[in-house]
Amino acid sequence: MSSNRIYPSRFKRGDMASVSSDIYSQLGSQISLADDKEGVCRNCCPRRCCLITCIILLILGALAAALTCAIIFGIPPKQPIMRQCKTTSDSVGFLCDDRSTCIISTQLCDGKVDCSNGEDESELYCGNLPDSLPKHLVFICGNQKTWIYIDQKCDGKNHCGDCSDESELHCPACSGWKCSTVFFNDCDCIPKSRCKNNIQNCSDWSDENTCNN
């Protein structure tokens, strides 16, 4: 009975040597490529790591410097927002959070809430008068110690006590009768409505003798 078994053809010795040589050549190429890649990674990774490390150290240094300055010099207090606006009487006022309500300066820190959010009576603006108030709402008197609200300046009344808030240096020229007044609350100008009212307002009686209302 004949056998159906198939026997592979035998390689010649030269063919085997050629195949082995090709295999070794391919393996050598792959090993060489792997070594090249590994060499690139070895050179690349330290550079990246150094760059990242430097950036992190710079950030940490900046934070440490800021923290040191805050400890040494203290954290600066929160400053009030500039809220300058014009009131209905065309005077400088305080703009509320709603960005539409403008109140006069004397309405700040008077114990009565005039802004819808109550910011006119808040600690931010009333905590350390007058320094906590916006600068445009404050007038410093001539003695550099007393202060008044800006809408009290040039209103015909001696709020500062030395009449510096009514002087022509800061106010328009007298529109009434100018004289040396006898009342502390007056300065050197009285409204003409007080002329010839049978009350002495001027030390020389000019308000009763000369002034015409």
Side-chain angles (χ1 to χ4, degrees), residues 80-87 91-96 102-109 115 119-120 125 129-140 147-153:
I81 302 169
M82 289 300 293
R83 294 173 175 264
Q84 188 167 336
C85 60
K86 284 284 186 181
T87 64
S91 62
V92 179
F94 175 86
L95 185 65
C96 297
C102 184
I103 63 174
I104 59 175
S105 59
T106 47
Q107 288 180 291
L108 266 82
C109 311
C115 293
E119 57 272 21
D120 57 310
Y125 296 104
L129 298 176
D131 296 333
S132 53
L133 289 171
K135 300 304 180 188
H136 68 277
L137 298 180
V138 176
F139 176 80
I140 304 299
W147 68 276
I148 61 172
Y149 288 101
I150 200 67
D151 63 307
Q152 294 176 315
K153 182 170 74 77

Side-chain angles (χ1 to χ4, degrees), residues 34 67 69 72 107-108 112 118 123 136-137 143 165 188 193:
L67 184 60
C69 289
I72 295 173
Q107 288 180 291
L108 266 82
K112 178 185 174 185
E123 183 70 16
H136 68 277
L137 298 180
N143 58 17
D165 55 315
D188 59 356
S193 60

Side-chain angles (χ1 to χ4, degrees), residues 177 182-183 186 190-202 205-213:
W177 181 254
V182 296
F183 296 111
D186 295 328
I190 62 169
K192 285 193 174 183
S193 60
R194 290 165 62 185
C195 288
K196 295 189 176 178
N197 62 352
N198 296 319
I199 298 173
Q200 181 187 8
N201 295 284
C202 298
W205 287 90
S206 60
D207 58 308
E208 296 299 316
N209 298 325
T210 310
C211 176
N212 292 313
N213 54 8

